[in-house]
Amino acid sequence: MDRFGQISVRTNRYSVPVRLIGRTVRAMLHASELVVYDGQQEVARHERLIAKGKARLDLDHYLEALVRKPGAFPGATALEQARSTGKFAPVARRLVGGGEGCPRRAGTAPGL
């Protein structure tokens, strides 16, 4: 796993929770999905990417880091992917103080 919380599987990159950076995880590639384990515990599940050189990033995997570094939030690739698929989690909206999937400017969210 790299320092960005991603693993590489067959030319593609998939996110893993940032709390696991530095750990060795195991990926099981299936016909339609990729499942990632830390020991026996499932820590990530992604729809499998078919095209080469792509990335599948789950915003929830980065929330811990984004809370510590709110300035990174507006340009986060995981945020853009979440918005484009309609998966901007309600918990993420609350963390950044935005409504309708649009976070406030960095540093303006309550508690940041």
Side-chain angles (χ1 to χ4, degrees), residues 46-79:
H46 294 281
E47 181 180 339
R48 182 177 177 176
L49 292 164
I50 303 303
K52 293 183 179 185
K54 300 294 181 184
R56 174 90 61 212
L57 308 177
D58 185 336
L59 180 60
D60 290 343
H61 294 160
Y62 296 99
L63 290 179
E64 294 172 35
L66 292 172
V67 167
R68 288 192 309 269
K69 296 181 177 184
F73 204 90
T77 303
L79 174 60

